[in-house]
Amino acid sequence: MTEPIPRLPEGFTPLFEPAEIVGGRYEVVRLIGRGGFSQVYEVRDAEGHPFALKVLSLAKADENERKDARRLVREGRVLAQVRHPNLVRYERLDVDPETSRLYLVLELVEGMTLRRVIHERRLGLLEILDIGIGVAAGLGALHEQALIHRDIKPENLMVGSSSSSTVKILDLGLIKAQGVSQGTTRPLGTYLYMSPEALNSQDVTPSADVYSLGHTLYEMCAGEHAFTEAGHDNLGLAQAEVIVKHVTDRFVVCPLSERLDHFP
């Protein structure tokens, strides 16, 4: 089973249509994802090999576009440098001559995001262990190179469609080298999974990724985020409230033992 085509908002215009050729070599099959600064397409090369092609949404030469371009280039360079079974495989970073858009070609991972898996069913204990170990191994490969992902969450983890496949860490757009300034005082990442030091715009270490993985593991076990009160969907939290829950010790996470009645 594969991730379904994302629901598109009214007025959304894909950058490429099926059968269009990107970079003179990749034929577009379909749109498979969209984010804050990019769109992702399933494409095939001349030999019919499938890939994922990530392309910048903006084409204007303004500061936002340059920032997004730097993120995409950084993601491509890191994936080219760090090869690991639990990291999506790098293929190519180039510019489409027809549209002048920067694009990144990656391994196409068949399966579903962990977010969708959690939404559709409860995971078994062995499944949770396999996924957790795989993500930890992929992060370990990054951390050995003093690189911090900074956006580990269920949406950025792809669970393979077969029992023999491995979980893949996706979207390295926010990755940074440890000790290097991020160039902004604004917290970067996803609030519900960010560590207290990241939310406080402090310099982060690999432990920030471990913290995010911890929240993800909790969610895999419980079927809901640690900040969700048992039996209530209260994740429509204001960012300020999320920050308070993360950085103060006044918030007590519901013990997992109270949410694991589905385990034998």
Side-chain angles (χ1 to χ4, degrees):
M1 188 172 185
T2 59
E3 192 77 3
I5 297 174
R7 182 178 299 174
L8 302 178
E10 186 176 351
F12 174 81
T13 303
L15 297 173
F16 301 109
E17 296 293 338
E20 278 195 68
I21 303 298
V22 182
R25 61 169 59 196
Y26 299 103
E27 181 179 355
V28 174
V29 176
R30 62 179 183 132
L31 177 72
I32 57 175
R34 53 185 293 271
F37 72 94
S38 64
Q39 297 178 15
V40 184
Y41 294 83
E42 178 183 346
V43 298
R44 297 188 183 276
D45 64 9
E47 288 75 39
H49 300 133
F51 296 98
L53 185 144
K54 187 175 185 178
V55 60
L56 293 182
S57 299
L58 299 175
K60 299 180 296 182
D62 60 13
E63 182 55 35
N64 286 332
E65 194 274 340
R66 286 190 289 270
K67 184 187 304 180
D68 294 342
R70 287 194 294 269
R71 287 180 179 178
L72 196 64
V73 169
R74 185 166 58 241
E75 179 175 9
R77 286 177 175 171
V78 167
L79 289 172
Q81 170 192 350
V82 185
R83 301 278 183 156
H84 190 275
N86 297 109
L87 298 176
V88 65
R89 189 179 67 251
Y90 166 88
E91 293 292 335
R92 186 183 184 88
L93 179 68
D94 210 338
V95 175
D96 177 40
E98 296 295 322
T99 63
S100 298
R101 292 182 185 275
L102 183 69
Y103 67 88
L104 173 63
V105 182
L106 302 167
E107 164 191 14
L108 180 67
V109 183
E110 295 290 343
M112 295 190 294
T113 63
L114 181 57
R115 165 61 63 222
R116 185 166 183 84
V117 173
I118 293 173
H119 176 74
E120 292 192 350
R121 62 182 175 85
R122 282 294 182 93
L123 285 85
L125 183 57
L126 291 180
E127 250 186 315
I128 293 170
L129 289 172
D130 283 344
I131 292 172
I133 291 170
V135 177
L139 287 175
L142 294 174
H143 296 165
E144 286 178 1
Q145 303 297 320
L147 298 167
I148 306 162
H149 186 283
R150 296 199 297 173
D151 203 18
I152 292 296
K153 58 182 178 180
E155 288 83 351
N156 285 342
L157 302 173
M158 184 68 78
V159 179
S161 54
S162 67
S163 58
S164 61
S165 57
T166 56
V167 62
K168 300 278 187 175
I169 299 175
L170 309 177
D171 199 348
L172 277 67
L174 293 184
I175 200 162
K176 72 179 288 288
Q178 185 175 351
V180 176
S181 172
Q182 66 181 18
T184 178
T185 58
R186 181 172 62 87
L188 295 176
T190 303
Y191 284 87
L192 284 169
Y193 300 89
M194 289 169 68
S195 66
E197 62 271 25
L199 285 163
N200 281 322
S201 298
Q202 298 172 357
D203 191 30
V204 295
T205 66
S207 62
D209 285 341
V210 176
Y211 181 92
S212 302
L213 176 56
H215 267 288
T216 302
L217 287 168
Y218 185 106
E219 194 166 351
M220 281 194 284
C221 292
E224 52 194 4
H225 194 276
F227 291 167
T228 305
E229 296 177 9
H232 300 281
D233 180 11
N234 65 338
L235 285 187
L237 299 170
Q239 290 181 349
E241 186 177 350
V242 172
I243 291 173
V244 168
K245 287 180 182 294
H246 270 290
V247 303
T248 70
D249 58 4
R250 296 191 297 273
F251 178 75
V252 179
V253 172
C254 178
L256 265 178
S257 58
E258 298 181 13
R259 295 183 171 181
L260 299 185
D261 54 346
H262 62 289
F263 283 138

